[in-house]
Structure formats: structure tokens, C-alpha cells
């Protein structure tokens, strides 16, 4: 059985591990010793490691890294909503942990790298070289696939469960199941050095979504204004079909 490493097995990493566990032997990392029992009970091999914001000489290479067919990094290396804050030290700690890794590599980035401008953004609008959190990984591991994820949704992560403002704004959301499917397809394709926006192709506004999730009608006018992120490149190059293309129906 092939081996896969998931660095940062939190909410998203946990869903990815669950999807891949029948095809791969799963190796995970967590910052919390209290999570070891839960992850081990699922059959995952777990290492406790933290990537602090200051450089640590004590971080050594992940022992299993050379045996792994692929590594998925879900640890955040940018600030809230993708804002670039100085996390270079955290990045250097991660590089030390990966050592001289040669296999397939995935970095979960964010559509927050694009400015808050009313237009549709494609991957070409923001070069990896201009985004410190992506560039620091790519410079050492040119084979890295960078997935710029929209707002993570699914399970209990539904807009109706949050106190939401600016209800007329269009959303850029993605269901975790589609992220898992993208990763699975890229693993099978042995993809490398790809940059994709991973975003549901339909962009309703927040009020439309909340009303749909509460089973209420929506009587407002459909806005066409706002910042949207295009997933056209992903759909074309991977021949990808979204299981959840419309955020209004993420709860179904």
C-alpha cells in the first residue's frame, strides 16, 4: 500500500485522511498530544510536531518522509483570510521537517491571496513568486502543487450557523468533499508543479445561501457584483466535475 503524509491533521486534513485511508497508509502530524489517541484509533501513524513562528534548531527531518509517496501540507503559512504576515520562520521550520523530500507534494493555500477587487480572478492574476507563503515552499520544492482553497464549508460549517454581515456579497466557497476529490484525482494523475483555484463554480450571495439552508424563499435581486475566483483552469485541466458546484446546496 502506498504511503501518504498529512502535515496538520485538523478539520480539513482529517477529511482528506478519511477519504484516502482505504488506498493509502496514513502518516499524520498534530500539534496536540491529546489528539494522538483519536488519530491512532483510526489507524493513522501520528507524530507530534509544532511549527512555531520563530526558527527552531531542534526541528529535525520527519523520519518517515523519504518513504512517503506524497505529502499534503494543511498547516497555515499565511495569516487570517490569506493575508500575508511574516510567517517565514514557520516556513523554514517546515522545510527542515521535510528535509530533502522528492515525492509528490501539496500545499493548501488560500484564495485570500487575491486582492478584494470586484472582478473575477484566475491563477494568472497572482504569481506564486509574489506570495511569500507559497514561494518559500516552491523555491525548495519546485514539484509542489499549490491549491488555493476558497472558504471551507461542509458538515456543520454552513453559513446559517454563523453571524453573517454583508449579505449581498457574492461568495467564494468550497465543500471539503470536492477538495478531497481534487487531491485524489491529482494523486492518481501524479500531478506536479500545478497551481489551481479550488472554488465551487457557482457564486450566489450570502443571503441566497442562508435562505436556502433555512428552507426559505429568496426574494432579493440576484447581484452580479463582487469579487469572484475562477475554477475554470481546474475544471479544464483535470476534467473535474464538482459534487457540490453550488454553495446553496452544501447542506444537502
Amino acid at each position: 500500500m502506498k504511503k501518504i503524509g498529512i502535515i496538520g491533521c485538523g478539520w480539513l486534513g482529517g477529511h482528506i485522511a478519511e477519504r484516502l485511508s482505504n488506498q493509502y497508509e496514513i502518516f499524520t502530524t498534530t500539534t496536540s498530544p491529546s489528539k494522538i489517541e483519536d488519530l491512532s484509533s483510526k489507524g493513522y501513524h501520528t507524530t507530534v510536531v509544532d511549527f512555531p513562528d520563530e526558527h527552531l534548531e531542534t526541528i529535525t527531518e520527519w523520519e518517515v518522509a523519504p518513504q512517503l509517496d506524497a505529502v499534503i501540507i494543511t498547516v497555515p503559512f499565511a495569516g487570517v483570510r490569506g493575508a500575508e504576515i511574516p510567517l517565514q520562520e514557520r516556513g523554514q521550520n517546515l522545510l527542515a521537517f521535510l528535509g530533502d523530500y522528492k515525492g509528490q507534494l501539496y500545499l493548501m493555500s488560500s484564495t485570500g491571496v487575491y486582492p478584494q477587487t470586484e472582478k473575477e480572478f484566475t491563477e494568472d492574476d497572482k504569481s506564486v513568486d509574489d506570495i511569500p507563503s507559497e514561494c518559500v515552499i516552491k523555491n525548495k520544492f519546485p514539484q509542489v502543487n499549490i491549491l488555493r482553497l476558497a472558504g471551507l464549508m461542509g458538515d456543520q460549517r454552513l453559513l446559517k450557523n454563523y453571524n453573517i454581515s454583508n449579505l449581498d456579497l457574492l461568495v467564494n466557497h468550497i465543500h471539503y468533499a470536492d477538495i478531497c476529490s481534487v487531491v485524489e484525482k491529482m494523486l492518481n494523475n501524479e500531478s506536479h508543479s500545478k497551481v489551481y483555484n479550488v472554488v465551487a463554480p457557482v457564486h450566489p450571495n450570502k443571503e441566497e445561501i442562508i435562505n436556502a439552508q433555512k428552507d426559505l424563499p429568496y426574494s432579493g435581486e440576484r447581484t452580479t457584483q463582487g469579487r469572484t475566483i475562477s475554477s475554470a483552469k481546474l475544471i479544464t485541466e483535470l476534467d473535474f466535475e464538482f459534487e457540490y458546484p453550488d454553495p446553496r446546496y452544501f447542506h444537502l
Side-chain angles (χ1 to χ4, degrees), residues 82-96:
E84 289 295 337
I85 58 175
L87 295 184
Q88 297 293 74
E89 299 296 329
R90 186 183 292 187
Q92 293 306 317
N93 290 328
L94 174 80
L95 296 183

Side-chain angles (χ1 to χ4, degrees), residues 58-109:
T58 53
I59 288 190
T60 55
E61 182 181 346
W62 199 8
E63 274 185 27
V64 300
Q67 306 164 35
L68 299 175
D69 296 283
V71 171
I72 299 166
I73 303 165
T74 68
V75 176
F77 287 93
V80 176
R81 297 189 179 282
E84 289 295 337
I85 58 175
L87 295 184
Q88 297 293 74
E89 299 296 329
R90 186 183 292 187
Q92 293 306 317
N93 290 328
L94 174 80
L95 296 183
F97 188 64
L98 282 171
D100 192 26
Y101 183 68
K102 295 284 193 270
Q104 240 192 329
L105 187 61
Y106 295 81
L107 173 67
M108 299 300 164
S109 184

Side-chain angles (χ1 to χ4, degrees), residues 30-40 46-49:
T30 178
T31 58
S32 172
S34 63
K35 285 187 178 176
I36 292 179
E37 191 175 338
D38 177 50
L39 292 168
S40 298
T46 305
T47 302
V48 176
V49 64

Side-chain angles (χ1 to χ4, degrees), residues 41-58:
S41 72
K42 294 171 179 169
Y44 310 156
H45 310 277
T46 305
T47 302
V48 176
V49 64
D50 196 5
F51 300 103
D53 295 345
E54 66 277 354
H55 183 55
L56 288 185
E57 298 292 342
T58 53

Side-chain angles (χ1 to χ4, degrees), residues 5-252:
I6 299 176
I7 298 179
C9 199
W11 186 81
L12 177 59
H15 280 300
I16 294 171
E18 189 176 347
R19 170 69 73 88
L20 298 175
S21 59
N22 64 339
Q23 307 165 60
Y24 292 85
E25 192 175 353
I26 306 285
F27 294 79
T28 64
T29 77
T30 178
T31 58
S32 172
S34 63
K35 285 187 178 176
I36 292 179
E37 191 175 338
D38 177 50
L39 292 168
S40 298
S41 72
K42 294 171 179 169
Y44 310 156
H45 310 277
T46 305
T47 302
V48 176
V49 64
D50 196 5
F51 300 103
D53 295 345
E54 66 277 354
H55 183 55
L56 288 185
E57 298 292 342
T58 53
I59 288 190
T60 55
E61 182 181 346
W62 199 8
E63 274 185 27
V64 300
Q67 306 164 35
L68 299 175
D69 296 283
V71 171
I72 299 166
I73 303 165
T74 68
V75 176
F77 287 93
V80 176
R81 297 189 179 282
E84 289 295 337
I85 58 175
L87 295 184
Q88 297 293 74
E89 299 296 329
R90 186 183 292 187
Q92 293 306 317
N93 290 328
L94 174 80
L95 296 183
F97 188 64
L98 282 171
D100 192 26
Y101 183 68
K102 295 284 193 270
Q104 240 192 329
L105 187 61
Y106 295 81
L107 173 67
M108 299 300 164
S109 184
S110 166
T111 55
V113 301
Y114 300 108
Q116 293 292 337
T117 307
E118 287 206 4
K119 63 166 277 187
E120 182 179 63
F121 287 93
T122 71
E123 292 83 352
D124 293 337
D125 287 313
K126 199 76 174 174
S127 165
V128 170
D129 296 329
D130 295 331
I131 301 168
S133 56
E134 296 179 357
C135 183
V136 70
I137 308 295
K138 183 194 164 197
N139 283 348
K140 182 168 181 186
F141 302 104
Q143 79 269 31
V144 68
N145 295 299
I146 296 171
L147 303 184
R148 294 172 178 169
L149 308 181
L152 303 178
M153 291 289 166
D155 276 351
Q156 296 307 305
R157 288 196 181 194
L158 300 172
L159 275 193
K160 70 172 183 179
N161 296 334
Y162 298 92
N163 186 15
I164 300 293
S165 57
N166 302 321
L167 292 176
D168 59 331
L169 283 186
L170 302 182
V171 304
N172 296 283
H173 285 171
I174 184 68
H175 195 289
Y176 73 81
D178 281 317
I179 299 172
C180 295
S181 296
V182 167
V183 171
E184 195 171 25
K185 192 152 195 179
M186 292 179 73
L187 284 166
N188 292 336
N189 289 355
E190 299 185 357
S191 302
H192 65 274
S193 308
K194 299 293 187 183
V195 181
Y196 291 129
N197 295 330
V198 185
V199 189
V202 181
H203 304 276
N205 70 33
K206 295 177 186 178
E207 188 174 5
E208 286 180 89
I209 295 172
I210 292 168
N211 283 26
Q213 290 172 354
K214 291 183 174 179
D215 206 19
L216 298 170
Y218 175 71
S219 56
E221 285 190 21
R222 181 73 194 273
T223 179
T224 55
Q225 294 214 301
R227 167 180 170 273
T228 57
I229 313 295
S230 170
S231 53
K233 180 182 174 188
L234 171 80
I235 292 167
T236 302
E237 290 193 4
L238 276 187
D239 190 23
F240 189 75
E241 195 170 325
F242 285 82
E243 185 181 349
Y244 293 94
D246 190 335
R248 285 174 294 186
Y249 308 113
F250 278 7
H251 61 300
L252 299 178

